[in-house]
Amino acid sequence: MTMAPVIPGPPATSPAPLALHGLSVEGVNQCVHCGLCLASCPTFSELGTEMDSPRGRIFLIKSLAEGRIGLTDSTVAHLDLCLDCRACETVCPAGVPYGRLIEAARAEIERQRPGGAVRRAFRWLNFGLLLGRPRALRAAAVGLRLYQASGLQALVRRSGIARLLPGTLPAWEALLPSLPPAADRAPLPPLTPALGPRRSRVALLTGCVQSIVFGAHNQATARVLARNGCDVLAPAGQGCCGALNAHGGDHARAIEMAKRTIETFEATGADAVIVNTSGCGAHMKGYGALLAGEPAWAERASRFAGTVQDVAEFLAREPLRGPLAPVPMTVTYHDPCHVVHGQKIRRQPRHLLAQVPGLRVVDLPESDWCCGSAGIYNLTQPEMAGRLLRRKVRNIEATRAEAVVTANPGCILQIEAGLRARSLRVPVLHLVEVLDRAYRHA
Amino acid sequence: MSPLLEKLRAALGPANVLTGVDLSPFVIEGRTPEVAVFPGSSEDVAAVVQQAAAAGLPIMPWGGGTAAAVGATSARAGLVLGLKRLDRLVEHEPGDLTATVEAGMTFDALQSALRARGQWLSLDPPDGDRATVGGVIAADASGPRRHLYGTVRDLLIGLTVVTADGAIVRGGGKVVKNVAGYDLPKLFVGAYGTLGIVVEATFKLRPLAEEERLLAVTFDRLKDCGAAVRALLASDLLPNAVEIVDAAAGASLGLGAAALLVGFDGLPEQVDAQARELAMLVAPLGGRDVTVLAPATWPRLASLARDALASPAAVMTFSVLPTLVADAMEQGAAAARQRGVGSAWSAHAGVGAVTGALAADREATTVAAVLAEWRAIARAGGGHAALAWAPLAVKALVPVWDDAGPAGRVMQRIKARLDPNNVLNPGRFVAGI
Amino acid sequence: MATLAVDRKSALRRELESIVGRDGVLSDPDELLVYESDGLTLFRALADFVVFPTCAEHVAAVVRLANREALPFVARGAGTGLSGGCLPAEGGLVISMMRMNRVLEVDYDNQVAVVEPGLVNLHLSWAVGPRGFYYAPDPSSQQACTIGGNIANNSGGPHTLKYGVTVNHVLGLEVVLPDGELVWLGGKTRDALGYDLAGVFVGSEGTFGIATKIAVRILKKPQAVKTVLAVFDQIDQASAAVSAIIARGLVPAAVEMIDQLTIQAVEDAFGCGYPRDAAAALLIELDGLRAGMEAQAERIVAACRESGAREVRTAADEAERQLLWKGRKSAFGAYGRVSPAYMVMDGVIPRTKLPYVLGRVNEIVAAHGLRVGNVFHAGDGNLHPNILYDPRKPGEEARVVAAGAEIMKVCAEVGGSISGEHGIGLEKSDFMPFIFSAADLAFMQSLKAAFNPTGLCNPGKVFPTKKSCVEAGPVAYRPHAIEERGLAQRF
């Protein structure tokens, strides 16, 4: 038969692999434009504009890589507005690696447009000063504790003075957690020995932010793991896993942090690396892809990534060991994005809660819908974060649950702030806290 | 006139062109048409339309004549275009569950041909022995089983029409699912021949059910029947018919009181199980014994109210929300009673299709006053009402069709585009079409 | 096309903003770019503006403005359509309905819901689900597509075998006509007054106006559901099983066929439980009363076994059932795992012609040196051959288009149709003469003129743009008329 003519127009062939900031975005070609992701995207759902949908952002990234468009203000704004919640990955039949694409795009944004002063200040505060340096974080924690204990915080919140703070600072203030007393902030011992027959030897990521603000989570995690036959190592000298840097476009530092984390945990010889924060777990499981370009590290990073497990994922592999005391209350479970979408862990937390006697778990509508926390999103995009938070709180209210259970400190901070704003006295607990309570009262 | 007659006789043969006294079967509301013709093919229908249009003669498509008196009366009767010679079952492929049939075939003839091969067209319009397929489409006729199986619009998948300018046009197709082009079949359903003359139609079919049963439950009041319908619709049961009749209409079935009639079909065990559940469902709502009606009752249901009265003064059909059916029937009966007029009522209650028939031949003004109230009741129920039958004197006082509002202007624009010279059933339809 | 003069464009923008608000108008070229295609990437066309009304009055005002300025306009929902139907083929305005997405009213007793057009199809079922109801039409994109879009295309879905397509569930519509007038067509009661305008509007592909409120039927969830998976080593056996089921007098809720290539793609995507080595599988669903369900299922199983099924099993629980359906409904997207692009066909054929036509499809695609995956509504005879290709390989796309035309021709020859549920849009407009005569098309054009006399409402769709396509024989790819005018491009 005769061949049909080739239609003139923009180049139909793009022989060179597509990349941004040296990071491959070939994954855009897996997108067949079916649009099944649209309704799963929180920002599209709120705004209805396709530039703020996964398919639209993939298209923007593709167009950027092909040189059809440049990095204009509007394009940056649409890419920045992405929560990186990866809900779209869960529903994508074509397997588009969306998380990797948006991170590459953000690295390119960071390269071309290092951002405004406020943004830089926060980046310095978060990434540079605090996250990589536990001691600095601890010093900040003392200051925070003083701020809260002195009653100054109450005054600030009452007076509404926070609204006069520049930029995103009001959002920052609203999210400040109630700091636990010093006992809960104490570092974990290097080894928490297994109770009962030994099942495994694991190392716990104690993290950066949560070791201070949520030290109690780590302590509860260690106790619950020990009750289930694990020697729990908490290697000293571990720092940040680099997730926030990667999500924020700070690719170089993310790589350094990944290497340090791998080194630290490899040295423990543990069977598994347990993580109780969603973004860290999802990020560490992706170390293989992150370091794929470095021959000396690629295989090592992949192997390491294979040992990383979310605490719920690990515990749910076997029935919980008894005895468990009843926890007579009604709770609802919120899926952290990087647990449910980033790591595809949906069934396990519910399975664990179902084993707690007396605990009634009611379904949360849109349970796998982002609460707006999304790393530092609630600080950089307070308006959208606030819309999503109000939506989350409305759904929580509808369940009439007495407490919200989730599995990530960022979500806990955010949802607590949302409930506080509505004057609702509904505590937000980490899954391990619920299990720990059942064990401690047994 | 006579040059046209000559042309028609030449084209169709003298036997198929009637004039004079032979026209008596086609006299409607006292108006005698000028000629009645019976073409034998789609092409002949097209030729007749072209010739009549050229002669400025209005055309009235004619199937079995069962709905010929429905609609507003036009000034001039013109040419009756009878389709009785187009009466073939063109194609029935049981494996495809479709059949193509010419418009002049009577409905019952089609059904018996289909039944012989284990299938049926899931429509049960009244007067199926005389009504033709084309007429059923044009009048959007249906019966009790529409509750489960829908109406013509849900079953007609393709058709061939002769348009006002004599073109032969096909719409839809022969496959059960088809979105190519506009959905022309919808346009001709219930259009009373004002946009084109249906000459052939394709329907989707269903396999015959293994068993079917019609059950009756009597109640003290219509209101209780309404409550039972509500409970039935909220239940898991899947009836194929949900009817309410008042005592007057029920009497012809030997029921003697307001009654709920429910049909079930399917496997014998499905019919049995549902009949049992129905009995349990209606008992606490005041339903008395559940009785089984003879299968021969089915064809009477579509016209029960009309047939309950020896010679009704008027028949009105209502389309209202299903929950308001019993109320509409009670209010309608009360409105008639207040003026000393009896009435009979029946409804396809689950779909909100109500028929009221007025008794006693009172003076037209009384009848018109009742009908005006009935129409108000339909509107209050979120719907509308049409005069299905009434003598000319009443039609002069009560519009046959309800006010279509702004949508009526859209209909007029469609009519103007598709029949610019206004030759097809002029003046008979909604919005003066 | 973006050919408006700069000052006219900014004046128009201000005027549009005065109707829908500042955040309701897009005119930045980079933003408009995202709207250049729908679910079919074969065509693209740029709008001058995308506007986001939040109520019917906004839509009417925007449409009146478009009329005054002689600007073409087209409504867009989620953009999941597969025929280019919502593309601004001649530029002008894209009116996005995504901010009109509320469930306005649910009347459970009368089983009617009134919704806005931007509501996601599945979200209506979610909204009425707690009371035991659902919305029956279930296009495979139902998790994202909107009910307004379903109205435009008269969308179907797997369960339309038993429950009918969108039009069978629409009672009435509030629409903005192409001249900006707001009217109700039909209502909340079952029987229309006068012509069935709602019925005619549904499936008119956005050329008769823009729906702003939609009254639909909602159905009670069935008492029982049974989902059967039948596995075949030959595709003809699966076709035979479809006929055997029909011959037994059964009307399942759905009968879907999935071939091997598709099975492997969806298994890669979600691990749904389809056997990777099967030549074809039938997904058959029965629903209705608990009574008799077993007996019907036995007949289905017997029909499949007699036709040569190597395995027939029933989904053990709701989770397994959902997973099987997820695989079926995600199939199109899953082709992204095996091919960078695909073109989905949407032909319909009489059920009895299934084996013949499937054979012809394979021959045609092979002759063009391409691969095809089949996933379709076998019970309805609604085929979806998905021709896989790589748009970056020169000439491949043209071969796909040519093969597609040949497949449509085969469907037409056996008495079928060129579209069962995706619509004609831009994609298939030149193939309309395969199934419609000049008189048929002229009549449809007259009907269109009654609604849309200026032609500004979604121009360039549905009707053929070239007479040459009437020619017999395999049709080679030709540029679409709007491409020739430089208004849209393929890629």
Side-chain angles (χ1 to χ4, degrees):
Chain A
M1 63 161 287
T2 50
M3 296 287 278
V6 177
I7 307 312
T13 53
S14 57
L18 296 176
L20 285 174
H21 192 55
L23 302 173
S24 168
V25 293
E26 267 296 290
V28 295
N29 286 320
Q30 266 171 268
C31 175
V32 292
H33 228 252
C34 68
L36 292 196
C37 54
L38 265 66
S40 74
C41 175
T43 56
F44 178 70
S45 183
E46 288 291 324
L47 300 174
T49 40
E50 291 195 32
M51 311 80 64
D52 302 301
S53 75
R55 179 176 72 177
R57 291 189 182 107
I58 291 166
F59 195 74
L60 287 174
I61 292 168
K62 183 180 186 195
S63 302
L64 268 176
E66 289 175 344
R68 276 184 87 190
I69 60 171
L71 211 42
T72 59
D73 287 353
S74 81
T75 302
V76 171
H78 297 307
L79 294 172
D80 271 352
L81 199 61
C82 172
L83 293 147
D84 196 7
C85 70
R86 296 164 69 181
C88 49
E89 285 189 17
T90 295
V91 298
C92 178
V96 175
Y98 181 84
R100 288 220 295 280
L101 301 179
I102 193 75
E103 282 176 20
R106 287 189 171 159
E108 180 68 13
I109 293 172
E110 195 52 31
R111 182 179 72 81
Q112 287 194 33
R113 303 165 55 125
V118 174
R119 201 161 140 167
R120 266 203 306 279
F122 269 105
R123 190 163 298 117
W124 174 79
L125 191 69
N126 285 313
F127 302 166
L129 179 66
L130 295 179
L131 301 186
R133 303 175 196 184
R135 246 178 311 174
L137 249 185
R138 239 172 240 122
V142 173
L144 176 61
R145 182 85 188 141
L146 272 174
Y147 170 64
Q148 292 175 336
S150 68
L152 191 59
Q153 182 179 45
L155 188 68
V156 166
R157 283 185 178 162
R158 231 183 4 257
S159 67
I161 205 168
R163 269 180 268 124
L164 303 176
L165 295 173
T168 58
L169 278 174
W172 189 221
E173 204 292 325
L175 284 166
L176 286 180
S178 305
L179 261 197
D184 278 350
R185 281 183 280 138
L188 277 179
L191 171 69
T192 306
L195 297 170
R198 212 182 80 151
R199 166 179 164 191
S200 185
R201 182 178 158 86
V202 303
L204 180 64
L205 180 84
T206 55
C208 31
V209 174
Q210 85 269 24
S211 68
I212 306 304
V213 180
F214 293 104
H217 295 173
N218 286 339
Q219 302 197 357
T221 305
R223 282 193 295 267
V224 171
L225 286 167
R227 288 274 192 158
N228 283 278
C230 297
D231 283 337
V232 184
L233 304 168
Q238 55 172 305
C240 173
C241 67
L244 287 177
N245 304 70
H247 299 161
D250 185 1
H251 189 68
R253 208 182 298 235
I255 286 195
E256 283 316 304
M257 289 173 156
K259 289 177 182 171
R260 204 172 68 195
T261 305
I262 292 170
E263 282 168 347
T264 308
F265 280 91
E266 271 180 353
T268 65
D271 304 328
V273 177
I274 305 298
V275 185
N276 59 12
T277 54
S278 64
C280 308
H283 181 62
M284 289 163 71
K285 286 179 177 180
Y287 275 178
L290 185 69
L291 294 172
E294 302 198 24
W297 280 89
E299 203 202 321
R300 188 175 168 187
S302 283
R303 201 169 48 239
F304 172 81
T307 67
V308 176
Q309 293 190 47
D310 183 79
V311 62
E313 178 184 20
F314 178 83
L315 285 170
R317 290 183 195 282
E318 291 182 17
L320 286 176
R321 291 186 187 175
L324 289 153
V327 179
M329 64 191 299
T330 301
V331 301
T332 192
Y333 181 76
H334 158 75
D335 290 287
C337 299
H338 283 221
V339 171
V340 68
H341 303 304
Q343 302 179 61
K344 310 288 176 235
I345 298 171
R346 184 184 296 268
R347 188 182 51 80
Q348 296 92 326
R350 292 170 173 83
H351 175 64
L352 292 171
L353 290 173
Q355 295 175 63
V356 177
L359 191 72
R360 202 167 82 86
V361 186
V362 293
D363 284 341
L364 175 65
E366 299 182 333
S367 69
D368 61 356
W369 200 256
C370 183
C371 62
S373 168
I376 53 167
Y377 189 89
N378 43 10
L379 305 177
T380 57
Q381 302 283 349
E383 196 212 325
M384 178 56 70
R387 287 170 79 155
L388 297 174
L389 178 57
R390 287 190 290 278
R391 184 167 175 153
K392 179 61 67 180
V393 169
R394 274 198 304 276
N395 282 325
I396 290 170
E397 277 190 84
T399 67
R400 296 160 170 257
E402 296 164 82
V404 180
V405 180
T406 183
N408 179 49
C411 306
I412 293 176
L413 275 179
Q414 172 84 346
I415 295 172
E416 273 183 347
L419 293 167
R420 195 160 55 228
R422 293 270 298 141
S423 303
L424 294 170
R425 296 177 168 276
V426 178
V428 187
L429 306 171
H430 196 291
L431 172 70
V432 292
E433 292 182 287
V434 178
L435 302 180
D436 185 47
R437 185 179 302 187
Y439 279 118
R440 287 211 282 182
H441 294 122
Chain B
M1 184 66 200
S2 62
L4 173 64
L5 278 181
E6 276 165 31
K7 278 189 205 159
L8 291 170
R9 286 194 178 111
L12 306 175
N16 294 314
V17 180
L18 303 184
T19 53
V21 291
D22 291 341
L23 292 171
S24 60
F26 307 101
V27 176
I28 297 295
E29 296 178 332
R31 288 165 309 128
T32 306
E34 292 164 43
V35 59
V37 299
F38 299 91
S41 68
S42 302
E43 290 70 23
D44 282 353
V45 173
V48 169
V49 168
Q50 283 165 0
Q51 288 169 9
L57 200 61
I59 299 168
M60 180 190 270
W62 189 284
T66 58
V70 178
T73 43
S74 55
R76 186 178 169 197
L79 176 143
V80 164
L81 199 160
L83 291 146
K84 66 179 185 185
R85 291 174 64 208
L86 292 170
D87 63 350
R88 290 178 312 133
L89 176 57
V90 178
E91 191 182 347
H92 174 210
E93 174 51 73
D96 292 332
L97 283 169
T98 57
T100 299
V101 57
E102 288 184 333
M105 190 175 199
T106 66
F107 198 80
D108 284 356
L110 170 63
Q111 287 291 38
S112 38
L114 299 175
R115 275 175 194 278
R117 303 177 75 177
Q119 299 184 345
W120 69 303
L121 168 57
S122 55
L123 265 179
D124 50 359
D127 311 312
D129 55 335
R130 289 175 295 138
T132 59
V133 169
V136 166
I137 293 168
D140 189 16
S142 61
R145 296 180 184 91
R146 64 171 289 187
H147 178 80
L148 187 61
Y149 297 119
T151 53
V152 176
R153 84 195 286 265
D154 300 303
L155 302 166
L156 179 68
I157 56 176
L159 44 60
T160 307
V161 294
V162 172
T163 64
D165 59 358
I168 297 173
V169 164
R170 275 170 236 278
K174 294 189 173 180
V175 283
V176 295
K177 207 170 159 191
N178 185 0
V179 297
Y182 299 138
D183 196 347
L184 295 186
K186 300 282 180 296
L187 190 62
F188 293 94
V189 174
Y192 283 90
T194 57
L195 297 176
I197 300 162
V198 178
V199 290
E200 192 177 292
T202 303
F203 293 96
K204 56 178 176 181
L205 308 176
R206 285 199 161 76
L208 284 171
E210 289 183 14
E211 181 151 330
E212 182 173 43
R213 199 174 300 163
L214 182 62
L215 303 157
V217 192
T218 53
F219 289 84
D220 286 339
R221 299 173 303 174
L222 275 172
K223 196 180 286 296
D224 301 330
C225 295
V229 168
R230 205 183 279 230
L232 183 57
L233 297 186
S235 76
D236 282 338
L237 300 184
L238 296 171
N240 68 359
V242 178
E243 305 275 301
I244 300 181
V245 296
D246 73 348
S252 67
L253 301 176
L255 293 169
L260 169 69
L261 312 181
V262 183
F264 294 114
D265 66 9
L267 302 176
E269 61 187 290
Q270 293 176 319
V271 173
D272 288 341
Q274 295 195 91
R276 280 195 301 275
E277 284 189 50
L278 177 70
M280 289 190 286
L281 187 122
V282 295
L285 299 170
R288 297 194 282 260
D289 286 351
V290 179
T291 55
V292 179
L293 299 180
T297 313
W298 278 105
R300 298 170 58 192
L301 297 182
S303 55
L304 214 51
R306 180 191 77 186
D307 298 344
L309 305 174
S311 76
V315 177
M316 190 167 243
T317 54
F318 301 58
S319 182
V320 297
L321 290 171
T323 45
L324 301 173
V325 164
D327 288 347
M329 292 167 81
E330 283 197 336
Q331 290 165 16
R337 217 166 27 244
Q338 271 170 15
R339 293 177 195 272
V341 190
S343 62
W345 294 82
S346 66
H348 309 312
V351 294
V354 180
T355 305
L358 261 187
D361 224 343
R362 297 292 179 107
E363 62 279 23
T365 49
T366 307
V367 172
V370 174
L371 293 174
E373 282 192 52
W374 284 9
R375 180 160 277 155
I377 291 167
R379 288 180 184 169
H384 48 87
L387 204 45
W389 185 85
L392 275 176
V394 172
K395 282 190 180 179
L397 298 170
V398 182
V400 168
W401 306 106
D402 220 328
D403 178 9
R409 291 199 293 278
V410 181
M411 296 177 203
Q412 287 163 347
R413 291 203 282 269
I414 292 173
K415 172 72 172 177
R417 289 276 176 181
L418 301 183
D419 181 12
N421 297 318
N422 205 17
V423 296
L424 296 169
N425 256 342
R428 184 171 171 187
F429 197 53
V430 176
I433 291 165
Chain C
M1 61 175 182
T3 53
L4 295 179
V6 175
D7 51 348
R8 182 170 174 228
K9 188 157 182 174
S10 55
L12 279 170
R13 185 180 165 103
R14 278 195 301 279
E15 202 164 349
L16 289 166
E17 284 177 356
S18 73
I19 298 168
V20 295
R22 284 203 61 165
D23 71 342
V25 185
L26 301 180
S27 56
D28 180 317
D30 293 357
E31 296 182 324
L32 297 174
L33 199 61
V34 172
Y35 285 85
E36 70 174 11
S37 289
D38 59 7
L40 171 78
T41 52
L42 204 58
F43 292 101
R44 56 190 189 193
L46 279 180
D48 293 296
F49 299 97
V50 182
V51 293
F52 296 84
T54 57
C55 62
E57 289 68 30
H58 284 177
V59 178
V62 168
V63 167
R64 283 196 301 270
L65 174 64
N67 272 282
R68 194 194 74 201
E69 298 290 327
L71 277 176
F73 56 94
V74 55
R76 179 177 174 114
T80 56
L82 292 164
S83 65
C86 65
L87 263 57
E90 297 179 5
L93 307 177
V94 165
I95 303 177
S96 168
M97 307 309 287
M98 295 310 291
R99 291 183 185 169
M100 293 174 64
N101 60 358
R102 291 172 301 166
V103 177
L104 298 172
E105 183 189 333
V106 183
D107 179 346
Y108 290 101
D109 286 337
N110 288 306
Q111 309 191 353
V112 178
V114 181
V115 305
E116 290 185 318
L119 181 70
V120 170
N121 172 301
L122 188 59
H123 293 185
L124 175 55
S125 287
W126 286 352
V128 299
R131 293 278 301 266
F133 286 83
Y134 75 111
Y135 176 60
D138 62 337
S140 294
S141 55
Q142 71 179 139
Q143 70 184 63
C145 67
T146 64
I147 292 185
N150 297 166
I151 295 293
N153 290 304
N154 192 13
S155 304
H159 289 79
T160 56
L161 175 58
K162 178 171 176 183
Y163 292 101
V165 291
T166 297
V167 72
N168 304 111
H169 299 268
V170 173
L171 297 170
L173 305 146
E174 181 195 70
V175 306
V176 172
L177 294 173
D179 64 1
E181 188 187 359
L182 192 63
V183 298
W184 263 95
L185 311 179
K188 279 190 262 178
T189 61
R190 295 296 173 89
D191 294 306
L193 167 59
Y195 300 139
D196 182 5
L197 296 182
V200 173
F201 188 92
V202 174
S204 59
E205 301 201 25
T207 63
F208 287 0
I210 299 173
T212 49
K213 289 191 183 72
I214 303 157
V216 295
R217 295 172 58 195
I218 50 172
L219 303 187
K220 283 273 295 175
K221 286 183 197 166
Q223 195 178 46
V225 179
K226 212 167 194 67
T227 307
V228 175
L229 180 71
V231 181
F232 299 87
D233 287 326
Q234 291 167 32
I235 208 155
D236 279 355
Q237 295 171 333
S239 301
V242 176
S243 298
I245 290 166
I246 302 289
R248 278 175 160 76
L250 294 165
V251 183
V255 178
E256 301 286 301
M257 196 190 292
I258 311 174
D259 75 358
Q260 185 167 40
L261 190 151
T262 313
I263 286 174
Q264 291 176 355
V266 300
E267 284 304 305
D268 285 346
F270 298 117
C272 302
Y274 292 98
R276 286 174 174 272
D277 62 336
L282 287 182
L283 185 63
I284 305 158
E285 189 153 283
L286 287 164
D287 70 8
L289 298 168
R290 215 171 283 121
M293 186 60 76
E294 252 346 287
Q296 289 181 75
E298 279 165 22
R299 292 190 202 185
I300 298 273
V301 170
C304 291
R305 288 207 191 283
E306 275 171 32
S307 309
R310 76 164 196 226
E311 181 194 347
V312 188
R313 65 182 162 92
T314 305
D317 52 25
E318 180 62 17
E320 188 182 354
R321 171 178 175 257
Q322 290 292 350
L323 204 54
L324 287 169
W325 276 113
K326 185 175 185 180
R328 163 60 189 91
K329 293 198 171 182
S330 303
F332 290 172
Y335 290 124
R337 292 174 184 266
V338 291
S339 173
Y342 66 92
M343 186 167 88
V344 52
M345 315 296 301
D346 183 34
V348 198
I349 54 164
R351 273 169 279 240
T352 46
K353 303 290 196 298
L354 209 49
Y356 167 73
V357 175
L358 282 180
R360 288 288 294 127
V361 166
N362 284 331
E363 285 167 23
I364 289 168
V365 174
H368 287 274
L370 296 162
R371 286 190 301 162
V372 64
N374 283 290
V375 52
F376 61 97
H377 314 302
D380 287 321
N382 186 183
L383 306 180
H384 290 317
N386 294 270
I387 308 176
L388 309 180
Y389 71 102
D390 187 342
R392 293 169 294 187
K393 289 188 184 155
E396 201 158 293
E397 187 173 282
R399 299 210 304 277
V400 171
V401 174
E406 288 175 45
I407 291 171
M408 278 188 259
K409 207 153 200 111
V410 171
C411 293
E413 280 163 6
V414 299
S417 171
I418 60 174
S419 183
E421 54 187 5
H422 296 170
I424 300 301
L426 279 176
E427 182 210 5
K428 294 183 277 284
S429 57
D430 281 346
F431 304 113
M432 287 285 274
F434 287 2
I435 54 172
F436 291 115
S437 70
D440 303 343
L441 292 170
F443 189 81
M444 289 185 202
Q445 290 272 26
S446 300
L447 179 60
K448 176 182 169 181
F451 282 92
N452 185 10
T454 63
L456 288 173
C457 184
N458 202 11
K461 311 294 166 62
V462 182
F463 294 99
T465 49
K466 281 188 153 348
K467 290 207 164 59
S468 52
C469 286
V470 189
E471 291 164 10
V475 177
Y477 169 72
R478 286 190 195 89
H480 193 283
I482 67 162
E483 291 171 64
E484 291 185 334
R485 279 179 280 153
L487 300 175
Q489 294 158 320
R490 287 176 193 255
F491 72 122

